[in-house]
Amino acid sequence: MRVKHLLGHQSLKYKNALRATGEVIMPFKRPRPPPVPHATNSSSTSTLLSTNHEHKRLRRGCLHGIKAYILSAKIDGAEYEILIGEAEENGAELCKTPAEADIIVTAIGMKKRLERHIDWNMAKGKAVVRPDWIRDSVKKSEALPCGDYAAISDLLDSSIENCPESSSSQSQPPDQAEASTSQHQSTKESTLPDLVYEPRYKSRFACERYSPLICPNQDLVKELHIIKLAREMESEERSALSYSRAISAIKAFPEKIKSMSQISDIPYLGDKLTGMIQEFLSKSTISQARQLSSDTRYQTLISFTSVYGIGPHTARHLYDLGLRTFDDLSRYLGSDDNAEGSGGSFAWREGLRLRDELSVKIPRAEVEEMGRLVDNALQDILPGSESTICGGYRRGKLESNDVDIVFTHPQGQGNKANNMIARLVERMRKDGLITHTMHAPSVRSKGSLRPPTNHDGWDTLDKSLTIFNLPKTSPYYKGIHRRLDLIYAPREVYWTAVVGWTGSTMFERDLRLWAKQKGLKFDSSGITRRRDTKALYATSERDVFKLLELEWIEPRLRNADL
Ligand code: 8GT
Ligand code: MN
């Protein structure tokens, strides 16, 4: 939903707008998620469950049962994300506060600095280790002793003393542990040929995996998507990301999942996800997803965020005020008390007015017609321009929520950008094609739902988020407003921009992580080498992949989200 696109700065604006009405922002009530059904080894004798159980045992991570707090200070965003992912995937329970944790992971090496974040006396009661404790434990498949990893010398002894043990090693009786190890080895042996041919779905990076529009496990993915959306609605970003990662990994799995033994190589499936998949295999649904989809709070938040300009934060606030329907919302916005002139309410009212139209999906033929009209306008004012329809359309989606068009001009270099966008928009406005515009800030503000989080914004390209209207003379005219994003890229970064705007979101997120581990920085506005910030220019879309040392993946296989 492109609505999210605007969240970053808008939610803040609206927050102030709401505050101005004198209403108190109440803490939101969160529906307690139903307990995740876990496989048990108790009564069932069905083969499915017993293989599942076996499987679960195999997958139980080396950090299982360990309560960890990862302090983000001094850890760079991408690295933080990788650490969190690794810890979660290997069974660690991530805590929101250091007090709840057994082990504190930090890149801080000095007592004074640590004390800025964590109470010293509390730290003394825990193990306090460096991030490589997670990495090395995962590599060795066991929670390693903390002594070698103590983050701060003064805390060495207490870290050794308080070093947690994983319940995966603790709770298994010796014979079982042995069975599990030997099984583990036998799985390893049986996958030996994979060393020669490593299927792409195993990669930890969505930008290495083939992700078709519709995958063999699409129903499972849809169910998980509901849970992911619910997390987004509650601004539980990290949890939402775990679901996005799992969804993305399942999207690339080439077979229909019929038994748990098939999924052991799919990355990012921790205990919770494994349990859910197990449930899905036996019931074709996931109870948590079912419950959510009939939950009033979930439904209301989803529908409010479908209004252009309303993000989860605002939606929760409106919900807490007791609003449930669009009529409620409309009444609320219509009331003079709430109609302060600062723009927030106006934008909402406008969004609400257009909502029904904007929620109608755009068929491919109409997307193409819009592309032609944009290109005509472009050629008129900037002859020789080039444009590409990106986004979901380019990935093969039959219907799109909006249209994303990236364009460039042979003479357009460097910072003449402003001009190009303004000229195009002005022209289309005059022709009656564009009815509303929202100039996006070039850098997305933090706190936006949209990833990636490894840097502050998507890019520094100039763009305009507009509302578009086909001319009555067009054979596709239905009198429906459409969302159209126009993005100008200087010639030399045109292909990076095309890759950056083709998506899907997880593909993009991992592209950035991938680039990072290659010592590069990728975003839609260019590729740079980190060590000397030298810019690398691609001359084609394939060249973008080549520069990133990535194998080519065609746009239709970049559907790494739902
Ligand atoms: P849809 O339009 O049918 O919903 O599907 P979509 O085309 O895949 O989603 P979208 O929300 O239109 O986003 C298109 C792609 O543009 C996304 O995959 C994302 O990678 C990228 N994208 C944004 N916002 C921004 C942005 O501000 N800068 C850049 N460079 N890319 C962005 O969504
Ligand atoms: Mn789009």
Side-chain angles (χ1 to χ4, degrees):
M1 282 179 292
R2 173 46 53 98
V3 167
K4 293 181 215 155
H5 199 130
L6 304 169
L7 287 183
H9 65 288
Q10 287 224 346
S11 48
L12 192 73
K13 189 164 103 193
Y14 293 151
K15 192 163 92 186
N16 294 335
L18 279 170
R19 284 240 161 85
T21 67
E23 283 137 1
V24 182
I25 296 183
M26 300 192 306
F28 60 85
K29 290 178 233 81
R30 183 178 305 159
R32 193 167 286 284
V36 183
H38 270 294
T40 57
N41 50 357
S42 56
S43 57
S44 176
T45 50
S46 86
T47 30
L48 184 66
L49 269 185
S50 60
T51 32
N52 285 349
H53 175 63
E54 235 167 59
H55 177 80
K56 223 176 128 46
R57 193 148 48 81
L58 272 179
R59 285 191 65 92
R60 184 177 261 208
C62 61
L63 303 179
H64 187 89
I66 293 184
K67 291 186 179 159
Y69 175 79
I70 305 180
L71 182 63
S72 60
K74 268 195 90 185
I75 304 180
D76 138 310
E79 225 170 287
Y80 182 66
E81 206 172 278
I82 290 172
L83 269 181
I84 296 250
E86 259 182 330
E88 254 175 358
E89 196 190 339
N90 288 283
E93 197 183 309
L94 293 176
C95 304
K96 291 211 169 104
T97 61
E100 303 161 66
D102 308 320
I103 188 162
I104 294 170
V105 179
T106 177
I108 292 176
M110 273 160 53
K111 180 179 172 189
K112 276 228 170 93
R113 284 205 65 175
L114 187 74
E115 279 180 313
R116 280 189 223 158
H117 305 273
I118 290 168
D119 177 74
W120 185 249
N121 280 327
M122 182 210 295
K124 281 199 285 198
K126 322 242 170 213
V128 181
V129 295
R130 297 189 307 268
D132 50 342
W133 176 81
I134 294 186
R135 263 170 238 138
D136 291 356
S137 295
V138 169
K139 242 184 250 157
K140 298 232 164 92
S141 303
E142 61 174 311
L144 293 173
C146 298
D148 291 343
Y149 298 90
I152 288 169
S153 54
D154 286 354
L155 293 175
L156 175 63
D157 291 349
S158 54
S159 293
I160 293 173
E161 207 172 295
N162 297 308
C163 192
E165 263 180 65
S166 155
S167 59
S168 60
S169 59
Q170 274 166 7
S171 60
Q172 276 176 349
D175 58 329
Q176 237 192 4
E178 216 167 80
S180 145
T181 327
S182 64
Q183 257 178 9
H184 197 72
Q185 267 163 6
S186 73
T187 9
K188 277 223 168 118
E189 268 156 32
S190 72
T191 57
L192 261 185
D194 291 341
L195 296 176
V196 184
Y197 171 65
E198 186 74 12
R200 282 173 164 259
Y201 74 84
K202 294 183 184 179
S203 168
R204 296 183 66 83
F205 295 91
C207 56
E208 276 198 303
R209 304 191 291 252
Y210 289 146
S211 315
L213 189 58
I214 308 290
C215 74
N217 300 291
Q218 199 65 21
D219 290 342
L220 167 62
V221 164
K222 277 192 203 151
E223 214 53 0
L224 294 173
H225 183 72
I226 293 174
I227 307 175
K228 178 204 123 166
L229 280 182
R231 300 296 184 267
E232 286 184 349
M233 291 303 118
E234 303 297 354
S235 299
E236 292 166 14
E237 316 269 338
R238 213 176 62 199
S239 174
L241 180 60
S242 300
Y243 284 99
S244 298
R245 284 219 178 283
I247 287 170
S248 164
I250 296 168
K251 270 302 290 265
F253 190 62
E255 304 153 18
K256 174 125 185 126
I257 302 170
K258 296 203 177 100
S259 94
M260 296 303 280
S261 57
Q262 286 169 277
I263 67 166
S264 54
D265 292 331
I266 304 181
Y268 300 109
L269 301 182
D271 283 357
K272 204 190 268 175
L273 263 301
T274 310
M276 286 179 177
I277 296 174
Q278 201 158 34
E279 188 192 359
F280 185 83
L281 288 191
S282 57
K283 301 201 313 209
S284 303
T285 51
I286 297 172
S287 52
Q288 205 177 130
R290 290 302 91 217
Q291 245 158 311
L292 281 167
S293 45
S294 59
D295 180 73
T296 313
R297 180 179 170 95
Y298 173 81
Q299 287 167 351
T300 311
L301 296 181
I302 292 279
S303 65
F304 284 178
T305 51
S306 75
V307 176
Y308 196 65
I310 294 188
H313 181 84
T314 305
R316 288 199 300 269
H317 175 67
L318 297 169
Y319 183 89
D320 289 342
L321 292 174
L323 312 191
R324 295 292 179 271
T325 64
F326 288 125
D327 280 347
D328 292 347
L329 191 54
S330 171
R331 252 192 311 272
Y332 173 76
L333 296 179
S335 134
D336 281 346
D337 290 350
N338 304 314
E340 84 296 335
S342 67
S345 285
F346 172 76
W348 288 350
R349 260 200 297 264
E350 211 40 22
L352 194 57
R353 201 175 61 80
L354 288 171
R355 194 204 83 95
D356 288 342
E357 290 182 29
L358 295 183
S359 61
V360 181
K361 305 247 187 196
I362 319 169
R364 291 183 74 80
E366 194 178 332
V367 174
E368 285 156 17
E369 171 83 343
M370 288 168 69
R372 271 191 298 274
L373 289 167
V374 170
D375 202 59
N376 288 346
L378 258 179
Q379 298 310 330
D380 258 10
I381 53 167
L382 301 162
S385 291
E386 213 177 307
S387 67
T388 303
I389 308 175
C390 296
Y393 167 85
R394 193 151 184 267
R395 304 194 309 273
K397 273 176 84 167
L398 297 181
E399 297 182 308
S400 296
N401 291 306
D402 70 359
V403 177
D404 312 284
I405 296 180
V406 174
F407 71 97
T408 190
H409 187 262
Q411 271 108 56
Q413 281 190 346
N415 50 16
K416 294 225 198 87
N418 260 332
N419 217 358
M420 303 279 180
I421 277 282
R423 284 170 67 189
L424 176 62
V425 169
E426 197 36 46
R427 167 60 191 252
M428 291 179 65
R429 210 190 243 289
K430 276 204 182 118
D431 291 349
L433 295 173
I434 285 179
T435 58
H436 299 65
T437 51
M438 265 221 51
H439 284 273
S442 56
V443 173
R444 190 192 299 256
S445 38
K446 268 194 174 170
S448 156
L449 248 193
R450 282 282 178 119
T453 54
N454 57 337
H455 62 143
D456 288 344
W458 279 87
D459 56 41
T460 52
L461 296 175
D462 242 280
K463 47 195 156 281
S464 186
L465 320 180
T466 75
I467 308 268
F468 175 96
N469 198 4
L470 278 178
K472 289 211 170 89
T473 50
S474 161
Y476 299 92
Y477 177 79
K478 290 189 227 100
I480 301 180
H481 285 91
R482 304 300 199 179
R483 289 193 311 241
L484 168 68
D485 291 353
L486 297 169
I487 303 102
Y488 170 79
R491 182 76 242 171
E492 62 275 19
V493 298
Y494 181 60
W495 292 110
T496 357
V498 167
V499 171
W501 278 86
T502 296
S504 70
T505 304
M506 284 308 286
F507 191 92
E508 296 296 326
R509 179 190 273 276
D510 282 356
L511 209 49
R512 285 150 173 82
L513 283 181
W514 171 271
K516 174 154 189 146
Q517 52 122 40
K518 293 275 172 199
L520 302 168
K521 178 171 181 295
F522 173 90
D523 72 35
S524 303
S525 38
I527 303 174
T528 43
R529 208 158 58 190
R530 286 184 186 268
R531 74 180 139 86
D532 53 5
T533 66
K534 179 178 153 50
L536 307 176
Y537 297 123
T539 53
S540 67
E541 188 176 21
R542 279 176 189 270
D543 203 28
V544 173
F545 281 71
K546 222 186 266 169
L547 287 177
L548 295 172
E549 298 172 45
L550 197 57
E551 270 182 60
W552 167 250
I553 294 188
E554 58 175 291
R556 281 174 188 256
L557 292 175
R558 297 182 205 161
N559 290 288
D561 294 75
L562 176 69

